[in-house]
Amino acid sequence: MRIGIVCYATIGGSGVVATELAHALAYRGHDIHLISAELPFRWRWGTPGLTFERVDTPSYPLFNEPQYLLALTNTLVKVSRRHKLDIIHAHYAVPHATAAYLAHDILASESERPPRTVTTLHGTDITLVGSDPSFASVVAFSIESSDGVTAVSESLRRDTQTALGVRRDIEVIPNFLECSEYHRLNDTSLRERLCAQEGCQAIVMHISNFRPVKRVGAVVEIFRRIREQVRARLVMVGDGPDRLAAERQAAACGLSDYVDFVGEQHDVVAWLSAADLFLLPSAQESFGLAALEAMSCEVPVIASRVGGLPEVIQDGVTGYICDPDDIEGMAQRGIELLRNDALRQRIGRAARNDVARRFCTDIVVPRYEQFYEDVLAGRVHR
Ligand code: GMT
């Protein structure tokens, strides 16, 4: 199949999933065009069958606002004409589903076989941004107009119905990762370096884009309570708007010597392999790709009972989920796990096995291929 995949290049799960899907589909013999404003974070050069198509948004002195929707639509039309795309697959509805809809209409006016459109909903494109009254009508219309729609969790499928009143069929296809790459490494050098100064007993980790929805302040507070009982270190991977506030909070609690803010890191597997515990106390999380990555590296996750996280983590079996406001409960679970090696290893291994059973590339990518075939054959209902 010839497929155009549209995504954001900024660090975020939707761009990661779209880029990994593009690579996996190219390896499986499809002709893939990844369309984005920048090279995505996870892009790897040299994959046969995979081409990058840049969206250039020109500026003009009259405009205060960049005309990204128009530039993207125009790129979709150009790439579709040149490569005779079968499918345009938009990741993140805002405004990618709208661009796909517009491109489809332009191409339908000149061809009997315009590309079919597929939209994958990721989370905040519905729960925070898409349902904002400034966008809701156009987002709902664009989702209804897609030839096929997928959501990364059952929870997001329901949210799309309730928040936007969308009634059409939505297929749930979960996020995935390459299980042969995401596994715990034996190399302990990073862990030793992190613990060198004070001989810490455990590493607690958080990875995110430090936006308010991730509640990095709650991560620091949970760690403060853990640290009262266990000589642990907190490693904060990533960057974003709430990083400075979290650093100040750690300093105000007298924790500066025990918390490392290490910024954005490409080798996530090496970092996760140094961790004993992963905290994800988000306010909302339609899937929680970071939790999946940690689980695949045998790191037990303590997360909020919100959105799609209960579909990823089986409470008490492959990790723990707590009420988002239950900071004390999360801290107690953390202390329990860090004090009990057997429990921590059992949960870590169960997490890894569950990821291998449900969320590996070879299990999930064929579901996208089947979905594309169903869309092309007209078997998907709006
Ligand atoms: O969080 C966002 O605003 C964007 C989005 C992204 O691009 O990372 O995150 C969502 O999509 C991820 C990939 O499907 C999910 O793993 C995240 O749970 C989801 N974020 C939220 O729902 C807050």
Side-chain angles (χ1 to χ4, degrees):
M1 273 177 270
R2 292 176 293 258
I3 305 162
I5 293 184
V6 187
C7 72
Y8 283 111
T10 42
I11 294 185
S14 63
V16 168
V17 169
T19 309
E20 294 300 343
L21 178 62
H23 281 90
L25 289 168
Y27 277 122
R28 295 168 74 90
H30 301 284
D31 177 17
I32 305 298
H33 297 265
L34 186 59
I35 301 156
S36 190
E38 304 282 342
L39 268 185
F41 176 61
R42 290 279 179 92
W43 174 266
R44 298 179 290 281
W45 287 107
T47 306
L50 179 58
T51 315
F52 175 64
E53 315 276 0
R54 190 182 300 276
V55 182
D56 281 313
T57 307
S59 59
Y60 183 69
L62 184 68
F63 306 145
N64 275 337
E65 310 79 8
Q67 304 292 330
Y68 173 64
L69 176 60
L70 295 187
L72 173 59
T73 304
N74 205 66
T75 307
L76 291 176
V77 170
K78 272 195 319 191
V79 175
S80 301
R81 279 186 191 142
R82 196 177 316 133
H83 299 284
K84 309 238 171 314
L85 297 183
D86 300 305
I87 298 270
I88 295 174
H89 187 170
H91 284 262
Y92 207 86
V94 184
H96 298 164
T98 311
Y101 166 79
L102 291 171
H104 174 273
D105 261 25
I106 293 168
L107 293 158
S109 69
E110 59 192 48
S111 154
E112 280 179 8
R113 279 202 41 138
R116 298 299 170 124
T117 57
V118 170
T119 300
T120 290
L121 309 172
H122 281 274
T124 50
D125 48 353
I126 300 301
T127 57
L128 282 180
V129 188
S131 51
D132 186 291
S134 302
F135 299 125
S137 301
V138 69
V139 173
F141 174 82
S142 306
I143 292 170
E144 297 278 16
S145 305
S146 292
D147 293 308
V149 177
T150 77
V152 297
S153 62
E154 274 296 339
S155 148
L156 181 55
R157 189 167 70 87
R158 286 193 301 271
D159 284 345
T160 308
Q161 291 165 342
T162 48
L164 290 175
V166 166
R167 288 285 162 265
R168 59 160 303 143
D169 280 2
I170 298 176
E171 173 101 353
V172 174
I173 303 184
N175 287 335
F176 62 93
L177 44 70
E178 186 52 60
C179 291
S180 59
E181 280 171 29
Y182 278 85
H183 63 86
R184 197 167 184 88
L185 305 174
N186 291 325
D187 184 355
T188 54
S189 53
L190 178 56
R191 185 187 174 86
E192 280 153 22
R193 266 186 284 139
L194 288 167
C195 281
Q197 287 164 13
E198 51 142 0
C200 67
Q201 293 167 330
I203 304 268
V204 179
M205 196 167 282
H206 171 78
I207 305 180
S208 77
N209 43 23
F210 288 53
R211 282 178 301 133
V213 75
K214 302 293 172 183
R215 293 172 78 226
V216 284
V219 174
V220 173
E221 177 56 22
I222 295 164
F223 175 71
R224 187 187 70 74
R225 297 180 193 204
I226 290 176
R227 175 80 205 181
E228 285 174 356
Q229 310 276 329
V230 182
R231 198 147 41 86
R233 247 191 127 70
L234 174 63
V235 178
M236 302 285 275
V237 181
D239 206 349
D242 286 353
R243 198 246 313 138
L244 189 58
E247 281 199 53
R248 288 185 178 153
Q249 183 185 339
C253 303
L255 290 173
S256 292
D257 289 346
Y258 315 116
V259 184
D260 301 298
F261 288 85
V262 300
E264 287 164 6
Q265 297 291 333
H266 282 262
D267 195 357
V268 170
V269 172
W271 286 89
L272 285 170
S273 298
D276 300 294
L277 176 64
F278 191 90
L279 299 177
L280 196 63
S282 306
Q284 173 57 32
E285 206 68 73
S286 290
F287 185 87
L289 189 63
L292 193 68
E293 292 177 346
M295 291 165 70
S296 197
C297 293
E298 297 179 42
V299 187
V301 177
I302 299 175
S304 300
R305 186 177 291 106
V306 293
L309 282 168
E311 296 169 47
V312 178
I313 301 166
Q314 297 171 50
D315 189 29
V317 181
T318 63
Y320 290 108
I321 42 178
C322 303
D323 190 275
D325 294 329
D326 188 10
I327 300 292
E328 181 56 21
M330 295 199 209
Q332 286 310 319
R333 288 296 192 197
I335 292 164
E336 211 175 301
L337 280 163
L338 295 178
R339 279 186 170 159
N340 185 338
D341 291 350
L343 173 70
R344 199 175 60 250
Q345 282 160 14
R346 177 159 51 78
I347 298 232
R349 272 198 292 270
R352 165 72 196 181
N353 291 340
D354 197 34
V355 174
R357 194 172 59 81
R358 296 195 290 151
F359 300 110
C360 289
T361 304
D362 332 353
I363 297 167
V364 178
V365 171
R367 293 183 57 188
Y368 275 111
E369 286 174 303
Q370 182 62 54
F371 191 68
Y372 297 147
E373 277 166 23
D374 289 347
V375 165
L376 289 172
R379 288 192 291 263
V380 171
H381 302 291
R382 285 202 186 158

